[in-house]
Amino acid sequence: MITLTEQQRQIIEAPAGHYLVTAVAGSGKTTTLAHRIRYLLDHGTDANRMLVLMFNRAAKLDFESKLGRVLTGSAPKPEVRTFHAMGYRLYQRFVKEGYLRPFQTKILSDNETLFQLWLLARRVIPKEQEAELKRNKKDHLSLALQFIEAVKGQLSSVDDVFERSALDPQFQYFIPLFHAFEQWRKQHSRISYADMLYDPVRALLETPKLCELVSNKMDVVLVDEYQDTNEIQHTLLTIIAGKRADITIVGDPDQTIYEFRGAKPAYMISGFAEEYEHVSTRDLSYTFRYGHRVALLANHLISKNDARRNILCQAHHGNPSTTSQLHHTSQELSLLTKTIQTSDHQNDSAILVRAWSQTIGIELSLLASQIPYRMAQQKGVFGSDELMAIEALIQLANDDYRHLSANARQQKFHLLLRFPHVGLPDGSLVELSRELSAHDSDWGRHLLAAIPDNLHRVQSLKLERLARALGKVGSTSDVSVMLKHYIEDTSLYDGIRSLSFNAEYGEERVEAIKAIVRFVSQLTGLPSDVLMRLETLRQSASNAGDVGIELTTIHRAKGLEWHTVYIPGFNARHYPYGLRKQALENSEIESERRLLYVAMTRAKHALHLFAPGHGQADEISRFQTELQWNECSKTAALLEDSSPNSNGNTFSPIAQRYAKHYQLDLTLNAKAVGLSTAGDKEVWFVERIRHRILGTGTVINESGPAFTVRFDDKKERVFSKEQAPRFFEAI
């Protein structure tokens, strides 16, 4: 039997109207929605006039399961759909009505789309960029696909979307590429996943009479994970609801992490209230997932963001006492694996990374420590070009090439001619690798002899450096020394950076290579021993199943939870994540805070962050200071011990406000936490207050020099913090 909180009951039993529900991580929002639906059905709402919209299929299936447990019997149930399923149904209807052209029912896959983009890109890209496109084909096309999907999540023109993006001017050709792809798509009657929404919504906007077919048919619309909606989804919701439906949106602006898809926290913070009159706000501020330590850390971090609602995440009384550890170390991978090995909950644990380059070293360390792991939908380290190139070098040092077939040798040399890329067209690389494969030894000398006379001097210098490096590969049996010389002789890292399709991707590749080199350099023995060890690890990786610790990115962890969460790389490079030379804008830093907030709030029982060691001050993340780790630990200890006071310690306003919810006074000389006298200047950190003239109310937001109070008559008013002590007192 589920025991509902007072907050949940207020939402479940609320009268008809528009509602904006801010739900913190793990607050039981889907359970609340399910009971809200039951309440509405029990009080006369027609199930056929109720629509529930979910973010994705997994969320839909999970919600339908919960709803089935709440709605017992054979009574009619409301329709539960994803946004894309709703768009697809409208698409089919508009085709039937003659407003949209018929389309093939086979939806375009990403692979099909990428193939067409490759054919079209070569037609529209400026001639001077053709070589760069061919050299970094995969990366250009992946970014182009992401751009096209971003355009189709918005209502702006493709030119405006590009102008607002952070894309380098070299990708200006994405604009004509978008138009060319749309022309091809229509000629062949194909639609992609994004088009399920893009085409019908644009049709609705361009043909107002179409709106009559879909608007004002529902009495109630409920939307989950609203912080993840983009402009197209937001527009579809407003059209479907029309003037008739009561709308309830549920989500958490602090968990908006899909900005690259067009999601914006502003849709929840201000957009919904601006779109509809008389919107009532409700909070689900109690989490059922983790204890005070994680809640306090998360609150301190996210409170630094301006683009948010001033909601305080609170651990429910029945939650576990979550442990949290901040590990300072210069040997991160070693400490990470040792910490994991001491856990009894590896199958219910996750390592969450900010960037995929981090997984390279982690995966190799897990394999070496024989820690089982799983990586959903990823090829893993042994499928990476970087590791294959380094293995090719070690095989060359081990004199393995003379025993390979000419074809196998050609593949190896083709790989090494791109490590770093010497800047030649792929056809020229094939010719050079074929020439090298015809020989059994002295490949450095043969490469020097094969350098064409008509090359640009820069290309010739790169080939000469590579030839000298290949000639020295077999001069030492120490693999770490060999790799060090190769990297220096070829200017490998500079070469990777200079020919990568953008700066961030170049840095990611360099970091991946460095992680592999560090790991391989620790493997002692002859090149043959190192190769044998790598092969053993490859076999272990191929045998990985569905058990073990999860290794994934924070973006993929959204909506999930684990007993224990490990966050490596908690440093200035990854948090906030910035590989560009330019300083990050405030909006980018806020986005990075939200990512870390999401990562930390996946933990139920234990949270581990791995930060640079003492003495590495320049590598410390700015977020580490914002977390106020020691203060959070002290406050949590006081709460867990039910201590009567703070023993003279001072605490932040966030800690004081948090403790007040649990009737714990963190001060020694004041009668209440937060505002205790008319002269206390921190009135906005108190939940319930009394105005001399206007009566009692609740502080719902504070930003800059002002704070907002919702009074008991439901009216909201904004006040100056400077003048607040003259008019307010705590209740």
Side-chain angles (χ1 to χ4, degrees):
M1 188 71 171
I2 296 176
T3 302
L4 299 168
T5 66
E6 182 59 31
Q7 286 182 335
Q8 289 174 313
R9 289 194 180 281
Q10 288 180 6
I11 295 168
I12 292 165
E13 299 172 5
H18 298 311
Y19 291 94
L20 186 159
V21 179
T22 302
V24 302
S27 60
K29 59 185 175 61
T30 53
T31 297
T32 305
L33 272 180
H35 282 273
R36 171 66 170 165
I37 291 170
R38 176 177 175 175
Y39 179 86
L40 292 172
L41 293 175
D42 289 346
H43 287 75
T45 302
D46 185 350
N48 294 318
R49 290 190 174 276
M50 188 184 297
L51 173 64
V52 184
L53 289 172
M54 310 300 289
F55 184 64
N56 57 34
R57 180 172 171 77
K60 170 185 175 291
L61 294 174
D62 178 64
F63 183 75
E64 285 179 326
S65 176
K66 289 182 179 178
L67 186 61
R69 293 194 292 271
V70 172
L71 299 180
T72 56
S74 58
K77 294 179 177 62
E79 183 178 25
V80 182
R81 284 187 174 269
T82 64
F83 270 102
H84 284 86
M86 175 59 65
Y88 189 69
R89 188 170 71 168
L90 291 176
Y91 207 133
Q92 292 174 310
R93 182 174 182 183
F94 294 168
V95 169
K96 186 177 180 180
E97 299 284 345
Y99 291 100
L100 286 175
R101 290 195 241 177
F103 60 89
Q104 294 184 37
T105 54
K106 182 186 177 184
I107 304 301
L108 272 170
S109 67
D110 283 352
N111 285 338
E112 288 179 286
T113 301
L114 289 169
F115 177 72
Q116 291 304 324
L117 290 178
W118 169 240
L119 297 178
L120 297 168
R122 289 182 293 175
R123 300 182 196 171
V124 301
I125 195 169
K127 192 169 184 62
E128 62 271 18
Q129 291 180 245
E130 287 180 356
E132 209 279 333
L133 171 64
K134 292 178 181 177
R135 189 164 55 242
N136 292 297
K137 169 184 172 182
K138 177 182 175 182
D139 305 303
H140 271 256
L141 298 182
S142 178
L143 192 61
L145 176 60
Q146 186 176 317
F147 173 73
I148 288 173
E149 290 180 343
V151 173
K152 294 186 176 183
Q154 304 175 56
L155 295 173
S156 305
S157 70
V158 61
D159 300 79
D160 289 341
V161 174
F162 187 89
E163 184 68 25
R164 292 196 301 266
S165 74
L167 290 171
D168 189 273
Q170 68 169 308
F171 300 113
Q172 189 86 26
Y173 77 92
F174 284 178
I175 296 174
L177 179 60
F178 174 85
H179 293 304
F181 177 71
E182 286 300 276
Q183 183 179 14
W184 173 87
R185 187 172 67 82
K186 289 169 183 173
Q187 287 175 346
H188 293 82
S189 302
R190 301 299 302 274
I191 67 169
S192 67
Y193 189 64
D195 295 319
M196 293 180 186
L197 286 167
Y198 183 70
D199 286 352
V201 170
R202 292 190 73 89
L204 284 164
L205 295 175
E206 293 166 5
T207 313
K209 62 191 290 187
L210 264 183
C211 294
E212 299 174 11
L213 297 177
V214 300
S215 294
N216 299 306
K217 300 296 189 291
M218 295 292 161
D219 293 330
V220 175
V221 179
L222 303 103
V223 189
D224 191 20
E225 300 286 4
Y226 201 77
Q227 80 280 346
D228 293 330
T229 57
N230 56 33
E231 189 175 12
I232 286 286
Q233 293 166 324
H234 177 79
T235 302
L236 179 60
L237 170 66
T238 59
I239 293 173
I240 290 174
K243 299 293 184 181
R244 174 174 180 162
D246 289 330
I247 305 174
T248 295
I249 64 169
V250 184
D252 183 4
D254 291 337
Q255 296 187 69
T256 304
I257 63 172
Y258 294 133
E259 288 99 329
F260 60 90
R261 296 179 185 169
K264 298 177 183 177
Y267 288 139
M268 280 200 71
I269 295 170
S270 58
F272 186 70
E274 292 169 358
E275 191 87 29
Y276 297 95
E277 295 181 355
H278 311 300
V279 172
S280 298
T281 59
R282 296 285 190 273
D283 294 336
L284 288 174
S285 61
Y286 283 99
T287 179
F288 298 94
R289 181 177 294 162
Y290 41 80
H292 295 307
R293 281 174 170 76
V294 172
L296 283 160
L297 289 167
N299 282 321
H300 277 90
L301 174 71
I302 207 64
S303 67
K304 301 300 181 182
N305 276 7
D306 294 324
R308 66 183 303 266
R309 293 193 66 236
N310 189 25
I311 184 172
L312 194 72
C313 173
Q314 304 154 58
H316 194 264
H317 293 287
N319 288 11
S321 179
T322 311
T323 62
S324 59
Q325 287 186 264
L326 179 60
H327 304 274
H328 291 280
T329 177
S330 58
Q331 302 294 324
E332 180 176 283
L333 293 178
S334 175
L335 183 57
L336 172 64
T337 53
K338 288 178 181 176
T339 306
I340 293 170
Q341 285 172 326
T342 64
S343 172
D344 295 326
H345 302 277
Q346 292 181 19
N347 289 338
D348 189 16
S349 299
I351 303 170
L352 304 183
V353 298
R354 176 61 186 88
W356 269 115
S357 62
Q358 292 175 265
T359 65
I360 297 286
I362 294 172
E363 190 181 356
L364 288 168
S365 295
L366 292 174
L367 287 166
S369 301
Q370 297 183 324
I371 297 174
Y373 67 95
R374 57 192 189 276
M375 296 175 68
Q377 301 176 339
Q378 295 299 322
K379 61 183 180 180
V381 62
F382 285 99
S384 70
D385 292 338
E386 292 79 15
L387 182 57
M388 287 191 287
I390 287 173
E391 277 193 294
L393 281 172
I394 301 172
Q395 288 171 325
L396 187 64
N398 197 46
D399 204 20
D400 288 352
Y401 281 30
R402 67 173 65 247
H403 306 299
L404 297 176
S405 67
N407 184 57
R409 282 203 293 262
Q410 181 178 343
Q411 292 177 5
K412 299 286 184 184
F413 284 121
H414 188 262
L415 188 62
L416 293 176
L417 286 166
R418 298 167 59 91
F419 191 70
H421 204 296
V422 292
L424 296 177
D426 198 60
S428 298
L429 296 184
V430 170
E431 285 299 320
L432 282 173
S433 59
R434 184 180 295 119
E435 168 64 24
L436 291 174
S437 69
H439 304 283
D440 292 329
S441 61
D442 291 333
W443 292 290
R445 181 171 60 82
H446 289 301
L447 177 57
L448 278 174
I451 297 175
D453 295 330
N454 60 347
L455 289 184
H456 188 279
R457 182 55 184 157
V458 173
Q459 294 170 322
S460 295
L461 285 173
K462 289 181 179 180
L463 283 169
E464 289 169 9
R465 283 202 301 266
L466 178 60
R468 286 193 292 269
L470 292 177
K472 291 166 60 177
V473 163
S475 63
T476 176
S477 61
D478 188 323
V479 172
S480 62
V481 172
M482 181 270 291
L483 291 175
K484 179 177 181 294
H485 288 164
Y486 183 88
I487 291 167
E488 292 173 350
D489 292 345
T490 62
S491 299
L492 177 66
Y493 298 147
D494 288 341
I496 293 289
R497 293 185 182 104
S498 66
L499 289 176
S500 291
F501 83 114
N502 66 27
E504 289 194 11
Y505 179 73
E507 287 301 325
E508 280 296 299
R509 281 204 69 195
V510 167
E511 287 303 311
I513 294 167
K514 287 181 177 179
I516 296 170
V517 170
R518 280 194 297 270
F519 179 83
V520 170
S521 297
Q522 295 171 0
L523 302 178
T524 58
L526 298 171
S528 58
D529 299 321
V530 174
L531 289 170
M532 189 177 301
R533 180 65 171 141
L534 288 174
E535 182 58 31
T536 300
L537 296 178
R538 176 182 280 104
Q539 292 301 319
S540 297
S542 66
N543 293 330
D546 297 328
V547 297
I549 192 167
E550 183 101 9
L551 176 55
T552 190
T553 64
I554 300 171
H555 282 101
R556 288 183 178 272
K558 178 72 163 35
L560 303 175
E561 62 182 22
W562 291 271
H563 179 282
T564 304
V565 167
Y566 304 89
I567 304 176
F570 183 44
N571 53 46
R573 180 178 181 275
H574 292 109
Y575 297 95
Y577 185 71
L579 298 176
R580 305 196 313 262
K581 292 183 179 180
Q582 305 94 321
L584 293 175
E585 296 181 3
N586 186 61
S587 61
E588 294 174 304
I589 294 173
E590 293 205 355
S591 177
E592 292 297 311
R593 277 199 196 96
R594 289 193 291 269
L595 269 171
L596 181 57
Y597 176 86
V598 166
M600 293 193 304
T601 55
R602 301 308 96 194
K604 294 188 292 184
H605 293 270
L607 173 67
H608 297 266
L609 279 78
F610 295 82
H614 298 293
Q616 298 173 284
D618 57 329
E619 298 180 25
I620 297 294
S621 165
R622 62 182 292 171
F623 295 162
Q624 181 174 318
T625 303
E626 295 174 1
L627 286 173
Q628 298 190 41
W629 197 281
N630 292 335
E631 179 164 321
C632 291
S633 297
K634 288 189 297 182
T635 305
L638 290 170
L639 286 162
E640 290 164 359
D641 295 339
S642 299
S643 299
N645 59 54
S646 63
N647 296 320
N649 291 311
T650 57
F651 291 86
S652 70
I654 291 290
Q656 293 183 38
R657 181 180 162 201
Y658 185 90
K660 183 176 184 289
H661 285 281
Y662 303 91
Q663 289 76 52
L664 176 65
D665 185 357
L666 292 180
T667 66
L668 288 174
N669 302 315
K671 62 183 179 182
V673 177
L675 176 66
S676 55
T677 69
D680 193 314
K681 62 182 180 181
E682 293 176 344
V683 59
W684 44 92
F685 291 113
V686 179
E687 185 174 13
R688 293 288 292 168
I689 58 177
R690 181 182 290 109
H691 190 277
R692 271 191 199 166
I693 301 169
L694 301 174
T696 57
T698 302
V699 178
I700 62 171
N701 188 31
E702 69 89 10
S703 179
F707 65 100
T708 305
V709 177
R710 182 188 300 117
F711 288 91
D712 293 345
D713 62 2
K714 306 301 182 186
K715 293 182 179 179
E716 296 181 7
R717 295 179 173 87
V718 180
F719 298 91
S720 163
K721 290 180 179 179
E722 184 178 356
Q723 299 298 319
R726 298 174 53 195
F727 300 100
F728 286 98
E729 65 177 359
I731 298 177

